[in-house]
Amino acid sequence: MKSKQICCIGAGYVGGPTMSVIALKCPDYNITVVDSNDERINSWNGPLDSLPIFEPGLKDIINSVRNKNLFFSTDVESAIRKSDIIFIAVNTPTKTSGEGKGMAADLSNIKKCSELIAKVSKTDKIIVEKSTAPVGTAQEIKNVLKSFNTKNKFEIISNPEFLAEGTAINDLTNPDRVLIGGENTVEGEIAINKIADIYREWIPEEKIIMTNTWSSELSKLASNSFLAQRISSINSLSALCEKTGAKIDEVAEAVGMDSRIGSKFLKASVGFGGSCFKKDILNLVYLCKYFNLYEVAEYWENVLKINDFQKKRFSHKIINTLKTIKDNPTISVLGWAFKKDTNDSRESASIDVVKDLLSNGINVNIYDPMVPKTTILNDIKELSDSKLKKLKISSSIDDSLVGSYGICIITEWDQFKEIDFNKASNKLVEPILFIDGRNIIDSEQIKSLFKHVMSIDS
Ligand code: NAD
Ligand code: UGA
């Protein structure tokens, strides 16, 4: 048996890829990833072509470490019992009821894990908060542990994850930084170092930052909020470009070349999606309000308002254009994932855009290369049957074009850039192209094939 035992609770988009990379880089550690979702664990243990998460490069890593020093299991209790270090990587969605409803993070999964750890542990352990959680969560974990277990010592470490989906393997193998927060005590520093030792196996020392717990927790919320803020900033200017004739990509390039600003995260889009930006900003806003910092709360809340404004602007552009052409036309929507190279559609801009289209009498044919049909239907399950009747989920781009007036490309999948637009435009009833800025279809030749071309700044 390997000497160092790690357990990770939560086999999702963070737990799965993160533990796979740790297993790859740290052959001396034995890692068990556990989850209460049997189906997910079965998929992790099943054929490599049907892992629960699509992430470039992940399949090869799983192939080389699975059942060697990486194991997937539903037996949460025994994995906890045998481990010295326990990562908690469970989901922390926005609360849907109770105090802080619609804003604060729901920490019930984290609390359940903490209670279970306290109840089944027979030895001292380091608990690592990998999930994104509000400032003070480490203290809450500590309180739960103390109330259910007075025999063992637990050190709580905050080690937020900064991977982005679609590039997770690269982000994990070559991160900009690893952040480890802990208590400023002798035991706290020992625990911080034990976690740093894992990362030291492949990450240079200067990229491993150690802070107090609260700085670590707040830095994660702050990082996501800053990234989202840049997107809302550029998206807000795309609306002004539309009125003035400026081109948003040209503005982004000029602004981004200032080395103090930088060029990343300035791609105008229909709006940011993903499970975290909205949830983490709401969380920050809630914290600010809790501490009576209303101006600060309002500042960050506006990042979300612009994101909603942008999605609405785009769908209304489509609706208004189509209305002048025909009643109840069909449009082909390409892309359901919230960005390319993932099968994740949580908070995808496509969801809101398609809901608006269906609510305005437009028929929609959806195609996405990775998001399963069941997920798409689940994402819009609250729509009435009469609206859902207007929806078709296509199995190919060609299939989605049948009977369509136009194409609306929302996710920047590489395969959408390689469409034979000449052939595609011929298949359309009325060649119309709506493009999200992320698609980079900027060839004038392609655009000339369509009667109407609309981007987020035109
Ligand atoms: P996810 O929903 O994909 O996975 C979470 C998993 O935890 C689920 O499979 C769920 O069944 C399991 N789980 C929940 N409660 C459990 C319990 N009590 N016992 C056992 N299993 C339990 O979520 P995710 O996208 O991996 O995100 C996890 C956390 O990481 C969140 O806090 C998120 O904000 C943060 N985060 C996510 C990303 C990302 O790209 N998705 C990046 C950085 C940080
Ligand atoms: C984001 C952060 O980038 C990660 O650092 C963080 O760990 C993660 O959230 C998290 O905490 O969950 P992710 O949401 O996976 O990662 O993907 P991003 O690349 O950040 O994209 C988010 C959304 O913003 C996507 O819809 C993307 O298309 C959009 N986006 C991104 C733009 O509209 N414009 C840009 O310039 C960049």
Side-chain angles (χ1 to χ4, degrees):
M1 199 164 90
K2 309 255 181 194
S3 54
K4 300 164 187 169
Q5 300 287 329
I6 292 180
C7 159
C8 173
I9 312 179
Y13 285 87
V14 168
T18 307
M19 293 302 131
S20 305
V21 170
I22 294 182
L24 182 75
K25 300 291 185 183
C26 307
D28 286 345
Y29 288 80
N30 220 351
I31 302 168
T32 310
V33 185
V34 290
D35 203 294
S36 48
N37 181 335
D38 302 14
E39 209 183 311
R40 228 175 198 183
I41 291 298
N42 287 341
S43 307
W44 281 113
N45 284 323
L48 287 169
D49 281 330
S50 45
L51 296 176
I53 283 162
F54 170 71
E55 191 62 60
L58 178 63
K59 204 164 80 171
D60 292 343
I61 298 180
I62 293 284
N63 193 28
S64 67
V65 293
R66 191 171 60 179
N67 297 330
K68 292 188 183 115
N69 67 331
L70 179 70
F71 303 87
F72 292 95
S73 166
T74 49
D75 189 351
V76 185
E77 294 190 12
S78 43
I80 292 174
R81 223 173 274 125
K82 72 176 183 200
S83 300
D84 319 301
I85 297 172
I86 300 169
F87 284 83
I88 301 181
V90 297
N91 41 328
T92 49
T94 306
K95 277 179 98 169
T96 52
S97 60
E99 202 190 325
K101 176 184 167 185
M103 284 226 146
D106 180 349
L107 298 181
S108 57
N109 289 334
I110 292 190
K111 285 183 185 158
K112 267 188 219 153
C113 294
S114 311
E115 189 177 326
L116 190 65
I117 294 168
K119 285 180 173 165
V120 306
S121 292
K122 303 261 184 275
T123 55
D124 300 348
K125 299 190 191 299
I126 298 174
I127 315 297
V128 186
E129 180 192 342
K130 189 54 126 174
S131 301
T132 304
V135 185
T137 303
Q139 187 56 46
E140 290 224 26
I141 296 176
K142 200 173 180 177
N143 296 343
V144 175
L145 290 165
K146 262 193 185 157
S147 62
F148 289 96
N149 182 325
T150 47
K151 289 195 182 128
N152 300 114
K153 284 195 181 131
F154 298 101
E155 277 304 319
I156 324 297
I157 296 294
S158 159
N159 171 221
E161 185 46 62
F162 296 102
L163 69 80
E165 290 177 29
T167 54
I169 302 304
N170 186 49
D171 297 339
L172 288 162
T173 48
N174 187 24
D176 287 346
R177 80 302 208 183
V178 165
L179 178 55
I180 307 175
E183 282 191 34
N184 193 9
T185 57
V186 175
E187 294 83 1
E189 272 166 28
I190 292 171
I192 290 177
N193 263 298
K194 282 195 178 161
I195 302 309
D197 280 343
I198 299 174
Y199 294 105
R200 286 185 181 115
E201 295 282 339
W202 78 98
I203 293 164
E205 192 68 40
E206 64 272 16
K207 285 192 173 181
I208 302 176
I209 322 171
M210 299 172 194
T211 65
N212 76 30
T213 319
W214 299 279
S215 301
S216 172
E217 289 173 333
L218 183 57
S219 301
K220 173 62 194 175
L221 294 186
S223 296
N224 273 1
S225 303
F226 266 67
L227 289 169
Q229 177 210 46
R230 281 176 73 94
I231 303 170
S232 279
S233 297
I234 202 74
N235 281 347
S236 70
L237 291 173
S238 75
L240 188 58
C241 283
E242 219 163 273
K243 301 282 181 200
T244 59
K247 300 300 295 170
I248 194 62
D249 283 343
E250 292 174 357
V251 174
E253 187 184 3
V255 170
M257 279 176 78
D258 185 325
S259 60
R260 293 168 302 175
I261 298 172
S263 60
K264 291 181 183 164
F265 267 69
L266 285 184
K267 191 80 206 146
S269 63
V270 174
F272 56 76
S275 62
C276 295
F277 280 176
K278 182 175 172 187
K279 145 179 103 66
D280 294 346
I281 292 176
L282 284 172
N283 205 335
L284 185 65
V285 169
Y286 181 74
L287 274 174
C288 295
K289 286 187 177 166
Y290 181 84
F291 290 107
N292 297 330
L293 297 168
Y294 296 105
E295 289 79 1
V296 185
E298 196 183 340
Y299 173 77
W300 289 108
E301 217 161 14
N302 281 326
V303 171
L304 294 176
K305 281 191 186 154
I306 290 291
N307 203 45
D308 286 339
F309 164 75
Q310 187 76 344
K311 287 185 273 190
K312 274 259 174 295
R313 235 165 55 74
F314 191 70
S315 56
H316 283 214
K317 203 184 267 199
I318 301 174
I319 293 159
N320 292 337
T321 308
L322 291 175
K323 266 189 183 155
T324 62
I325 294 166
K326 194 183 184 295
D327 283 341
N328 309 321
T330 297
I331 181 139
S332 152
V333 170
L334 302 185
W336 194 258
F338 79 96
K339 62 185 284 198
K340 73 171 181 177
D341 291 338
T342 178
N343 58 348
D344 192 351
S345 60
R346 290 176 288 181
E347 299 291 337
S348 175
S350 299
I351 301 174
D352 286 337
V353 170
V354 164
K355 276 186 188 167
D356 257 2
L357 298 182
L358 293 172
S359 302
N360 280 276
I362 294 164
N363 303 296
V364 179
N365 294 346
I366 296 167
Y367 170 71
D368 187 280
M370 276 298 159
V371 182
K373 186 176 176 176
T374 46
T375 306
I376 297 177
L377 289 174
N378 190 47
D379 287 338
I380 47 174
K381 62 177 183 294
E382 75 273 20
L383 291 182
S384 64
D385 286 349
S386 62
K387 283 180 190 154
L388 289 174
K389 262 194 205 141
K390 295 175 175 297
L391 175 93
K392 182 179 122 187
I393 299 172
S394 305
S395 52
S396 67
I397 297 173
D398 274 359
D399 180 37
S400 81
L401 299 183
V402 178
S404 278
Y405 272 67
I407 315 175
C408 166
I409 308 180
I410 304 192
T411 313
E412 77 280 29
W413 284 102
D414 288 339
Q415 59 172 269
F416 298 161
K417 293 172 198 156
E418 285 154 19
I419 294 173
D420 181 342
F421 283 97
N422 206 348
K423 242 167 74 187
S425 64
N426 284 332
K427 287 189 179 168
L428 297 168
V429 179
E430 177 99 13
I432 311 170
L433 177 64
F434 297 100
I435 33 175
D436 172 336
R438 286 168 292 192
N439 280 293
I440 328 170
I441 296 175
D442 54 4
S443 144
E444 287 311 310
Q445 210 184 344
I446 291 179
K447 290 180 180 170
S448 70
L449 298 168
F450 292 86
K451 195 165 166 188
H452 304 272
V453 179
M454 268 161 223
S455 179
I456 35 139
D457 65 343
S458 59

